């Protein structure tokens, strides 16, 4: 599903931390298939793929993302050794007003890949910004719209600040992290599972559910 030629050809920037964006990481036909098979999640926040059923195209995508070819390109372009590092995949379907706050990613993460699965993006909010500080959303070195098929990858370090201006509505992405070690990854998975169970229970009473467009 992945266009490895486009992935390998992407230009790496180092201001203010190593990162690169690949437009066409997924070709349009594959984007459409992945969107159609994306889990139906009508709540805000991050979820593990196991939270909701998904179709075969999305299943193939997840397997390919965690495969050796993607890992190899990430290593080469971000100049980082990811051999034997465990991966963790989470999903987001809906963006809320509080999302997008400036952050640098957790210390247990070594590298992050964000794959956006949206239609054409026209809103000024929700565009990911590569930031030079942890305090100013307007001090940015680059900006990418979360358009379908675009992958944004970066090396996690203390200054890997990023975020976006407020947006409310559907904003789908897959986030894959290469983690420092198995124990840290497993602890984070356990935290997400507990959070997902709580959200699913609350949803039974209509709490946290986001109405979806027909």
């Amino acid at each position: 599903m992945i266009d490895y030629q486009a992935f390998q050809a992407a230009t790496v920037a180092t201001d203010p931390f190593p990162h690169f964006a690949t437009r066409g990481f997924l070709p349009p036909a594959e984007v459409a298939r992945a969107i159609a098979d994306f889990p139906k999640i009508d709540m805000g926040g991050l979820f593990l793929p196991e939270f909701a059923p998904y179709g075969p195209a999305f299943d193939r995508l997840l397997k390919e993302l965690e495969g050796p070819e993607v890992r190899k390109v990430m290593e080469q372009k971000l100049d980082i050794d990811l051999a034997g590092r465990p991966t963790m995949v989470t999903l987001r379907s809906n963006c809320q007003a509080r999302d997008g706050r400036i952050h640098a990613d957790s210390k247990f993460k070594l590298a992050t890949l964000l794959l956006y699965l949206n239609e054409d993006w026209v809103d000024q909010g929700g565009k990911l910004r590569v930031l030079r500080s942890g305090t100013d959303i307007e001090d940015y070195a680059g900006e990418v719209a979360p358009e379908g098929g675009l992958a944004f990858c970066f090396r996690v370090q203390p200054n890997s600040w990023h975020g976006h201006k407020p947006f409310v509505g559907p904003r789908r992405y897959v986030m894959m992290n290469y983690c420092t070690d198995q124990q840290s990854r497993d602890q984070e998975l356990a935290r997400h599972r507990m959070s997902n169970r709580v959200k699913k229970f609350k949803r039974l009473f209509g709490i946290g559910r986001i109405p979806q467009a027909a």
Side-chain angles (χ1 to χ4, degrees):
M1 296 178 75
I2 296 169
D3 185 339
Y4 290 101
Q5 186 173 357
F7 194 31
Q8 292 168 340
T11 300
V12 178
T14 56
D15 175 25
F17 55 88
H19 67 276
F20 64 99
T22 307
R23 288 178 172 80
F25 178 85
L26 282 190
E30 300 293 359
V31 172
R33 294 186 184 98
I35 290 176
D37 281 0
F38 195 90
K40 302 299 185 284
I41 301 173
D42 58 359
M43 304 183 77
L46 288 171
F47 294 88
L48 298 174
E50 65 196 44
F51 177 80
Y54 50 82
F58 192 76
D59 183 61
R60 289 198 304 273
L61 174 60
L62 293 183
K63 287 181 170 64
E64 193 167 354
L65 283 173
E66 294 189 275
E69 290 302 316
V70 171
R71 185 184 295 260
K72 180 179 178 181
V73 176
M74 292 285 284
E75 286 184 315
Q76 292 172 344
K77 302 193 83 64
L78 296 177
D79 190 24
I80 186 171
D81 183 4
L82 298 174
R85 301 295 189 174
T87 56
M88 182 179 73
V89 173
T90 50
L91 317 174
R92 189 185 295 275
S93 184
N94 299 284
C95 191
Q96 298 173 293
R98 65 176 179 269
D99 295 329
R101 295 172 183 169
I102 299 173
H103 62 289
D105 270 17
S106 302
K107 292 181 179 179
F108 76 90
K109 301 176 183 178
L110 295 170
T112 296
L113 183 154
L114 294 166
L115 173 59
Y116 294 104
L117 294 172
N118 306 295
E119 288 76 22
D120 293 340
W121 197 266
V122 295
D123 201 285
Q124 289 304 304
K127 293 181 178 180
L128 185 69
R129 289 183 173 182
V130 177
L131 302 171
R132 295 191 175 95
S133 79
T135 58
D136 188 359
I137 194 69
E138 298 298 341
D139 184 13
Y140 59 100
E143 180 182 70
V144 294
E147 60 195 33
L150 182 143
F152 181 80
C153 309
F154 63 95
R155 183 168 178 164
V156 178
Q157 50 192 54
N159 72 323
S160 55
W161 303 109
H162 56 287
H164 62 75
K165 299 186 83 170
F167 173 79
V168 176
R171 187 177 182 271
R172 290 180 295 269
Y173 65 76
V174 178
M175 177 165 63
M176 183 176 70
N177 302 113
Y178 294 93
C179 306
T180 54
D181 59 89
Q182 192 79 29
Q183 182 178 2
S184 297
R185 194 281 304 267
D186 290 349
Q187 288 175 345
E188 191 66 11
L189 284 177
R191 185 183 72 82
H192 277 294
R193 285 194 179 101
M194 178 59 68
S195 172
N196 290 177
R197 289 191 191 104
V198 170
K199 288 178 180 179
K200 188 174 263 189
F201 178 74
K202 288 182 176 180
R203 186 186 179 281
L204 295 174
F205 304 94
I207 301 171
R209 184 177 179 274
I210 298 173
Q212 303 295 295

